[in-house]
Amino acid sequence: MTDVSLLLKNTQATTLAPPAIEECDIRIDDGIIVDRARHLRPKQDEEVVDLQSRIVMPGFVCSHTHLYSALSRGMPAPTSTPRNFVEILRKVWWKLDEALDEEAIYYSALVGAIESIKFGTTTLIDHHASPNFISSSLDLIKHALCQIGMRGILCYETTDRGGKKRRDLGLKENERFVTENTSCQQFRGTIGAHAQFTLDDDSLVWLGELAAMYDCGVHIHVAEDKADVVNARKNHRQDIVERLGQFGILRKKSLIVHGVHLSKRHLATIEKSGAWMVHNPRSNMNNAVGHAPLTWYGEHAALGTDGFPADMFEESKFGYFRNAESDSPVGFSRIPKMLHNGQRLASEFFGRPFGTLQKGSPADLVVLGYCPPTPLTSRNLLGHFTFGMNSSMVDHVIVNGKRIVWNKQLIGIDENDVMQKAAKVAKKLWGRMHGR
Ligand SMILES: [Zn+2]
């Protein structure tokens, strides 16, 4: 999937954590950054692109999303308005995932991937559910991401809400995908789980055992709403984090998503285990579940979009403003650092140094046409990132050394054609949701 050697001249090589911006040229070969210095001389047969002082950043990672919800935009509202978080699941998302078929899974992923890559997001960590099409569903998503040229860390949402047969198919789908992608350059698998409130003890045993067996972590929603915490106490007579810990869910590479209703002690336990917290500010606002206690999050905290388009500029802005109006605001650099942590997380899965622009890093790059109206330095970079830069400035995107988006256009994909087909698939999907 790599292009020939490519020399990017006159870049502003930029990273968010630690904040740094430096004028240099960047040479890419065989999918990795092989050189970085001022005034690199072009080699014979090398393609040279003058970026005219554009910003070059490592490609963004969305650390939690649901591509299957990409065709939900504009869908009819439920017949009765959900009154709380669990009703939102029952009346909206569990109706949608039940209605997904092979075609809808594929087009959801394709549409989501196209939008993501144009925002500069090069890796998606997805959490998939399609109870009526479980086996091989992750391959449909993989196929869609491959068509675009993105990287993915995928899983299937294991749950007991559809009975043991579906639960077993979910577990099997996770295990299959993990084992088939252990050495893939573009994909990795993890063990997916919905949330402890839809999982019996024996299911949690399986999830913990599979994660231990394949050293791949569990990707699970935790304490998104208070109902999850109350459920653990009421139905299992246990503290929510103790319950997860007991079954080996808290471990390196595990993704603990949301944590809105976790305590300082809970978050210290999770941090100590090596697992990652994933914060999704837009989703928390949309579901009115509360403010995530970011002050208590540790070093292992990343940023996701939870099904909203994977525009990490936008998610970062919402994250900043959402937190700024909370009772305990965190420092200005916290959200950009969480965004950078997504790249650290991807590095753990792939065993390669994402999130840097140093020699030896994978050439997953975003090129931004940002003309700063005020001085731009390493010291004030995060101010420019939060208040100035946005995804409409993404001009080029490179993944593994290959040009995927160039001059804002996807290469080799007829985007309009995909969107028109997707709209037809969405119409059928909405019809199935409403029994038509
Ligand atoms: Zn989610």
Side-chain angles (χ1 to χ4, degrees), residues 106 110 142-150 186 411-413:
Y106 172 71
L110 194 59
K142 177 179 177 177
H143 180 53
L145 297 191
C146 272
Q147 279 201 284
I148 305 303
M150 296 183 74
Q186 252 179 288
I411 296 176
I413 300 273

Side-chain angles (χ1 to χ4, degrees), residues 6 222 386:
L6 181 65
V222 177
T386 305

